[in-house]
Each structure stands twice: as C-alpha cells, then as structure tokens.
Amino acid sequence: MPPENPKNSANPENREGAVRLVRDHTIYSCVMGSRAFGLATDGSDTDRRGVFLAPTPLFWRFEKPPTHVEGPGEEQFSWELERFCELALRGNPNILECLHSPLVEHVDGIGRELLSLRGAFLSRHVHGTFTRYALGQRRKLDADVRATGAPRWKHAMHLLRLLISARDLLRTGELRIDVGDRRESLLAVKRGEVPWAEVEGWMVRLAAEAEEAGRGTPLPPEPDRARVADFLYRVRRASALEAEPHHQVVQGVVRGGRVRQD
C-alpha cells in the first residue's frame, strides 16, 4: 500500500523546494520493508522512510508546505512532522512501524524526542486499524486465488507478518517488527512452498488470536494526544523563534510554486 496518495504530495512545480525540505530538515529517517522486518533476500529493495520538520514561517502563507514528499532517492518517502503525528495517533500501521524500525539511518534531537513518544501513539485503536488493513489485503489475495488459482505469495507472507505483529502488540503493548525466528517459515510462504489452504488457516488462527488478545490488551483506550500536541507545539514554536524572515529554505519553497493540500 502506498504510504500516501501522491496527489497530496508536493507537485512538480515545487519539487526543488520539497527536496530541500527533506534534505535539510529531516529529523528522523529509517529503512523499512523487508530489511527492517528481517525478511530481506538478495533481491530486496531498500525502502527508506523519514520525517521532516518544515520551518514554521512556511505555515504563515496561503501556500503551505507539503504534507509528504516522494524521493529524492529511490524508494524514499517522507512525511512532515505534523502529518506523521496525525497518522500515528490514528494508529496507522505503516506509520507506527516506522517508529519501531531497527534500522535508523538518521536522527537528531527532535527525532529522538519523537522516538521517545512511541508509546504515546499506541492505544487499543490499533486493533481496528491493523485489522482493517489486514482484511483489505486478504480480499486482494482471495481475488488472486479466484482469478489465477494462487495468491501473490509475497503479499501473503507480508500479511502473515502483519497479523503476527498485531497479535503480539495487543498481547504485550509493545510493537516489534522484526520477525525473528519466524523468518524461514515466512520466506517459505513467499517462495510458494506452503499450500494456500495451510497459509489461509494460519491467517485465520492469527486473526482469532489477535481478537482474543484485544480483549485483555494492556494498551490504553486512547493515545496520549495531549503529550503529542505539547511536543508539536514546542517544536513549532522553537522553529518560529529560530527562523530568519529570509531563510534560504523558506524562500526556496515559497518561490518554487504552489503546493496541493489534503
């Protein structure tokens, strides 16, 4: 699933300014995908995800900074801090997993504070968000089976991984994305070595176990929105106090053109 709808990212007219935001104002970046999950093979891509903090003066104009930016590197995608926090508070699986990647490539002081908030984003809502995403992926697999007699095995592997992660998160209150000693059994699914009926049964069991775990989960009913809001307010205020009116990044993005918004 794409991290965001491309129509909401910086348009081509403002590409240079958006790239500058990612290059100069990234507070956190990590590797995601198979490499972070412990499922990488020789042909695996390196998916990079990041969070950037747009200078506060950019928000004082009608044309706002982008909520997210694709690139500039291959398989690279970044969110502006506020958008990232908003999605994390909603329990978005892709966003929450970014905060728990074991492969951190860059983090500054603000990024470290963001990582310290990982627990504030978690709540019982993850049961619904993870489940809805899993159901959507399962419907696609079922459609493949009806059309061709077999699923896309790589997608089946990743759905199993997600279900395991969701179940364990609900059981323990902690999100861990590395599959650990399940690597070989999951890769066997990717290679198509496990019959679909067996894979399907595994998915059903994991979903049932997640449902049971949800009834006794140690996760709080709601995320700690106040704590996250305080963090965002402080970093926005500090950015406003530090930015110069004719800051190069501010002027570069403003001159670059319009930016589409959500």
Side-chain angles (χ1 to χ4, degrees), residues 50-142:
V51 183
F52 63 92
L53 174 63
T56 299
L58 290 180
F59 293 90
W60 300 341
R61 299 176 180 269
F62 286 119
E63 294 82 11
K64 307 301 181 186
T67 58
H68 52 274
V69 177
E70 293 186 74
E74 293 289 331
E75 306 296 334
Q76 183 179 2
F77 195 99
S78 299
W79 295 267
E80 206 284 324
L81 177 62
E82 184 172 345
R83 178 60 172 168
F84 185 88
C85 289
E86 177 187 10
L87 292 172
L89 285 169
R90 294 180 189 175
N92 182 294
N94 290 323
I95 300 293
L96 293 177
E97 289 185 335
C98 283
L99 288 170
H100 293 80
S101 173
L103 304 177
V104 174
E105 293 193 319
H106 170 79
V107 62
D108 65 8
I110 297 173
R112 282 189 287 273
E113 187 169 0
L114 174 65
L115 291 180
S116 76
L117 290 171
R118 284 182 291 202
F121 294 110
L122 297 176
S123 73
R124 295 175 191 172
H125 292 302
V126 300
H127 186 201
T129 56
F130 276 69
T131 297
R132 284 193 296 272
Y133 181 67
L135 287 174
Q137 296 304 301
R138 176 61 191 274
R139 283 193 290 268
K140 293 178 182 179
L141 291 173
D142 289 340

Side-chain angles (χ1 to χ4, degrees), residues 75-242:
E75 306 296 334
Q76 183 179 2
F77 195 99
S78 299
W79 295 267
E80 206 284 324
L81 177 62
E82 184 172 345
R83 178 60 172 168
F84 185 88
C85 289
E86 177 187 10
L87 292 172
L89 285 169
R90 294 180 189 175
N92 182 294
N94 290 323
I95 300 293
L96 293 177
E97 289 185 335
C98 283
L99 288 170
H100 293 80
S101 173
L103 304 177
V104 174
E105 293 193 319
H106 170 79
V107 62
D108 65 8
I110 297 173
R112 282 189 287 273
E113 187 169 0
L114 174 65
L115 291 180
S116 76
L117 290 171
R118 284 182 291 202
F121 294 110
L122 297 176
S123 73
R124 295 175 191 172
H125 292 302
V126 300
H127 186 201
T129 56
F130 276 69
T131 297
R132 284 193 296 272
Y133 181 67
L135 287 174
Q137 296 304 301
R138 176 61 191 274
R139 283 193 290 268
K140 293 178 182 179
L141 291 173
D142 289 340
D144 290 338
V145 173
R146 288 193 299 270
T148 67
R152 285 172 287 183
W153 293 110
K154 179 180 178 180
H155 292 190
M157 175 192 72
H158 281 298
L159 177 51
L160 286 167
R161 181 208 64 79
L162 180 72
L163 289 169
I164 292 170
S165 181
R167 179 201 62 187
D168 292 348
L169 169 58
L170 290 164
R171 282 178 173 176
T172 67
E174 297 181 3
L175 180 57
R176 297 184 180 181
I177 66 174
D178 190 294
V179 300
D181 60 7
R182 301 183 183 94
R183 170 182 164 84
E184 291 308 318
S185 58
L186 288 170
L187 287 177
V189 171
K190 180 183 179 182
R191 294 191 295 265
E193 297 171 358
V194 183
W196 171 239
E198 186 175 335
V199 173
E200 190 176 30
W202 192 1
M203 291 176 179
V204 170
R205 288 194 301 275
L206 287 170
E209 289 168 359
E211 184 71 28
E212 180 181 358
R215 290 192 284 270
T217 182
L219 290 171
E222 300 289 337
D224 194 340
R225 297 177 186 276
R227 187 178 168 199
V228 176
D230 175 71
F231 163 67
L232 184 61
Y233 172 82
R234 286 187 289 102
V235 297
R236 285 274 192 254
R237 185 174 187 276
S239 174
L241 293 173
E242 294 172 3

Side-chain angles (χ1 to χ4, degrees), residues 8-36:
N8 294 329
S9 30
N11 66 27
E13 294 177 355
N14 201 27
R15 180 67 178 168
E16 181 181 351
V19 167
R20 191 179 296 117
L21 281 173
V22 173
R23 185 191 66 202
D24 297 344
H25 292 273
T26 290
I27 62 171
Y28 171 68
S29 63
C30 64
V31 172
M32 287 301 299
S34 293
R35 297 191 184 279

